[in-house]
Amino acid sequence: VPRVCQILLVSAVALHLGLVAFNNLTDYGSNLPFVTHVLAMDTTFELNQARWRALHHPFFAHAFYVTIILWEMAAAGLCAAGAARLWMQR
């Protein structure tokens, strides 16, 4: 029973990450404004000493967003491979 629970949990994580990556790929524009907003640091207070590192150029927003999607896809693939390996070793 514990092995089956492990397999189901890792499979569920793989499915979730796969769906998130799929959503980000098919609806690219929905989360891009959020990534742009975070990188621009436009809601931090005026005297924040860390504002110098804000990234305003659209290239950086797209680069970060694509990197996030690639990490989601890699994590989904690794979790799916792990679930398959757990299934084979059960």
Side-chain angles (χ1 to χ4, degrees):
V1 173
R3 177 66 68 168
V4 174
C5 291
Q6 290 172 349
I7 294 168
L8 290 175
L9 178 64
V10 175
S11 298
V13 171
L15 177 64
H16 179 273
L17 287 170
L19 289 174
V20 169
F22 178 74
N23 179 55
N24 285 337
L25 282 173
T26 57
D27 192 15
Y28 187 83
S30 65
N31 287 323
L32 181 63
F34 176 72
V35 174
T36 303
H37 169 70
V38 169
L39 291 176
M41 296 176 63
D42 54 1
T43 57
T44 59
F45 53 92
E46 294 281 331
L47 300 175
N48 187 349
Q49 297 294 327
R51 287 183 73 129
W52 64 269
R53 63 182 179 210
L55 301 172
H56 298 285
H57 197 277
F59 169 78
F60 293 115
H62 288 284
F64 272 77
Y65 194 36
V66 167
T67 303
I68 290 168
I69 294 169
L70 291 174
W71 274 106
E72 290 167 349
M73 291 169 58
L78 288 172
C79 285
R85 192 163 181 192
L86 282 168
W87 179 258
M88 296 298 178
Q89 297 296 321
R90 71 183 190 316

